Amino acid sequence: MFGWGLNYSRFMDPAAAWALWAVGAMALLPPLARRATARLEAPGATIARASFLAYAIPALAGAALVLTFPDRVWFVGDFLLRAGILREPEGFTRTFPQALPLDVFMHYTLPRAAGAAWHVDPNQVARALGVLEVMALAALAVRFARGLALTGGAAIAAAAVVMFGGYFTLYTGYGKPTIEVCLATVAVGVFGMDMVRRDRSMLATGIAMAAAICVHRAGLSLLPGFVAAWAFWWVAHGRRGAWKSPRVLAALAVPVAAFAAMAPRLVRLFLGFDVAVNFRSVEVEQQGGVLRAALAPLKLMDVANVLTLLCPLALVVPVLLVARGRRAPRGREALWLGCLALGFVPSLFLVYVTQGPFRDWDAFAGAGAACSLLAAWLIGETLRAAPRRAWLAASVTLAVMIPTLQVLISQHDLDRGVRRARAFIAERPGRTWSQRVATWDFIGLRSLRVGRWGDAARAYEMVSTEAPHPRALLLWGTAAIIDRDEAGARRAFHTLLARDPENPEGRFGLWIASSLLGDTTEARAARRKLDGYAVDGPEMARIVAHLEHYPPLWASMRAAEARAPGRALEPPRSPGAARPPASPRRVE
């Protein structure tokens, strides 16, 4: 797991993994690569002609891929939490107090409203939004290659490098604004190149910058590149009064207005949230402060993995920069793209994600997109300058497609995805306490969602060992009861009540577990406590909410009542709640 950014093939079906690697290896053989590149000439020529098919085919191919391989693991970032909150009528801003207005609208208000109107799961609306965005990503990738005036295999290779970064795999229903920051980064790169080259697309660049600022504070990383684009435009086009034209003023007004509107909120979030959570957390202080944590060996290894995952050709960038530095007829463009990429360097090294970069790598998607833009420019210029090496276009195309397809396929397989999550905890390098707890919590929650009660109980037992929080203990006991491990459930509820003696869900669970184990003394004591709760009191309201969240508990409650006859315990159900099922049902 030292190379977690490269090892997705380990968590795939072996036949598929080896088949993809075999194709990639064959593409490095010059005779085969020349034949493959020859087949790219015609599609590449359509890019130069700005043909409709040049945009439509990659866009439809991208949509087909994310629809065919939706993420079923939900391990990345807040995927699991965001998918769950979409089913709740409220609580988004409480769960995500750092969310900006455009984030709330796109990833909560819109999916829920559209889901209610069309009678579909809001998560399906989120998937549809991802499909539209990946089509936009494909169109922008083609637009970038066309803006570089590339044709043939070189155009296909450059477009593929931009399109098939690891961030491509986030457009599978992941409802977090980091994917919009990634898309905005590509848009600023594409339209900013037009500004630097041709004195065009200023308004489009400004709109992309404004959208990034309004959707997530990570959009601020685009500011150095945005300012650099305007600086290069000024040197090339703006000195002779062009800046006075209405189109230029409008292009500047949009991002300036967005920044002015969001600045107070962004400052509050930075000082009140980011400093405590992402920059100077307890674990950062334990490592000796921000700079020491940023340069720690494990952090540097994780940064390398993040970049390699998000930009499969990241290691090629410094090599080509050195090679092109000797003869760079378009050095201004490279310098501008370098400024765009450098804007993300502080976040790469100074942001400390608590779940671990191996899970929260989506937070750095914008950095990966900026790196991919620079790599695409370098590869396009290299292939243009060396016609004898044109056969490498097919090799480059497959070199970015294959790793990204491996990520896509791996995240489609729930069993192997959970196995990968376990590997982060079990194998070297050792992870921090918060990263271990967060990973076990993910395994437990994901198992609960698909009705794997035994796996959930074992995961929350591990969470309780590391952090015996009442929530973890309750979920351990609940999953153990449904899995018919009453002894394990009783251990969990004993520990919970030792920490929180008045916990009604814990008392309820202990009554069920002890009744099913035949411990009548303990069961009667727990039952007396339950009988003391008012039918319409807060304790019974918490119990019924727990029962409604985990319907299989009704069957366990009925079994406990059968073991200890007496007045039936019939908690009142909340208005509109469904009648409890007669037998346990799978919770999806």
Side-chain angles (χ1 to χ4, degrees), residues 145 253 297 352 391 513 562:
Y352 192 88
W391 61 271

Side-chain angles (χ1 to χ4, degrees), residues 73-166:
V73 183
W74 300 2
F75 183 58
V76 178
D78 295 330
F79 204 133
L80 183 61
L81 193 57
R82 292 250 175 177
I85 205 71
L86 276 180
R87 298 180 178 181
E88 302 294 333
E90 56 186 19
F92 183 88
T93 53
R94 184 175 63 250
T95 306
F96 302 105
Q98 72 277 24
L100 295 182
L102 190 55
D103 175 18
V104 178
F105 173 74
M106 293 186 67
H107 301 298
Y108 186 71
T109 306
L110 177 62
R112 284 187 56 82
W118 299 334
H119 305 290
V120 297
D121 186 341
N123 283 291
Q124 297 303 317
V125 180
R127 282 194 64 197
L129 181 62
V131 171
L132 294 176
E133 290 183 323
V134 87
M135 294 174 74
L137 174 65
L140 286 170
V142 172
R143 179 71 170 74
F144 186 72
R146 180 171 174 264
L148 298 180
L150 297 172
T151 189
I156 297 294
V161 171
V162 175
M163 180 176 174
F164 287 104

Side-chain angles (χ1 to χ4, degrees), residues 322-585:
V322 172
R324 296 295 303 165
R326 300 172 186 169
R327 50 188 189 284
R330 297 183 178 87
R332 182 177 58 186
E333 296 172 7
L335 187 58
W336 174 71
L337 288 172
C339 290
L340 185 66
L342 286 173
F344 290 92
V345 169
S347 64
L348 271 173
F349 287 93
L350 300 180
V351 170
Y352 192 88
V353 287
T354 54
Q355 295 185 129
F358 56 83
R359 182 174 175 187
D360 283 338
W361 57 264
D362 66 294
F364 309 104
C371 185
S372 293
L373 288 164
L374 181 56
W377 182 88
L378 286 165
I379 286 166
E381 292 300 320
T382 301
L383 293 176
R384 192 204 313 267
R388 294 178 60 186
R389 304 296 183 194
W391 61 271
L392 285 168
S395 305
V396 167
T397 302
L398 289 172
V400 293
M401 289 183 65
I402 288 173
T404 298
L405 286 174
Q406 289 175 334
V407 178
L408 200 65
I409 295 171
S410 175
Q411 292 179 168
H412 182 65
D413 190 326
L414 177 59
D415 291 331
R416 288 187 168 93
V418 172
R419 192 183 310 160
R420 185 168 185 267
R422 292 179 185 275
F424 279 114
I425 309 170
E427 299 180 16
R428 297 180 63 196
R431 291 293 169 177
T432 65
W433 172 85
S434 64
Q435 292 171 6
R436 292 194 305 273
V437 170
T439 306
W440 278 120
D441 187 40
F442 159 78
I443 295 171
L445 278 176
R446 195 70 186 101
S447 299
L448 288 175
R449 285 290 295 249
V450 296
R452 297 180 179 180
W453 310 110
D455 291 343
R458 286 185 287 274
Y460 276 110
E461 184 176 5
M462 296 302 299
V463 173
S464 300
T465 301
E466 298 260 13
H469 188 276
R471 168 184 168 275
L473 291 163
L474 176 61
L475 293 178
W476 170 20
T478 299
I481 283 180
I482 299 173
D483 193 49
R484 299 182 180 179
D485 176 16
E486 291 84 7
R490 183 161 67 171
R491 288 201 312 275
F493 291 124
H494 274 159
T495 308
L496 171 57
L497 292 171
R499 297 180 63 85
D500 183 8
E502 300 304 318
N503 188 289
E505 300 98 318
R507 191 69 60 184
F508 177 70
L510 182 61
W511 166 66
I512 294 177
S514 56
S515 297
L516 295 179
L517 285 170
D519 188 339
T520 56
T521 301
E522 186 171 65
R524 286 171 182 165
R527 181 57 182 266
R528 281 195 298 271
K529 187 73 173 178
L530 292 174
D531 288 341
Y533 295 150
V535 174
D536 56 352
E539 296 88 356
M540 197 58 72
R542 287 175 57 175
I543 290 173
V544 73
H546 191 59
L547 279 163
E548 288 173 1
H549 206 70
Y550 299 100
L553 277 177
W554 286 97
S556 300
M557 186 184 78
R558 298 296 184 228
E561 288 177 334
R563 295 285 184 93
R567 181 176 66 85
L569 183 69
E570 184 69 31
R573 290 181 290 280
S574 60
R579 185 171 181 81
S583 60
R585 65 178 174 85

Side-chain angles (χ1 to χ4, degrees), residues 23 44 105 128 143 313 403 587:
V23 171
F105 173 74
R143 179 71 170 74
L313 295 182
V587 178

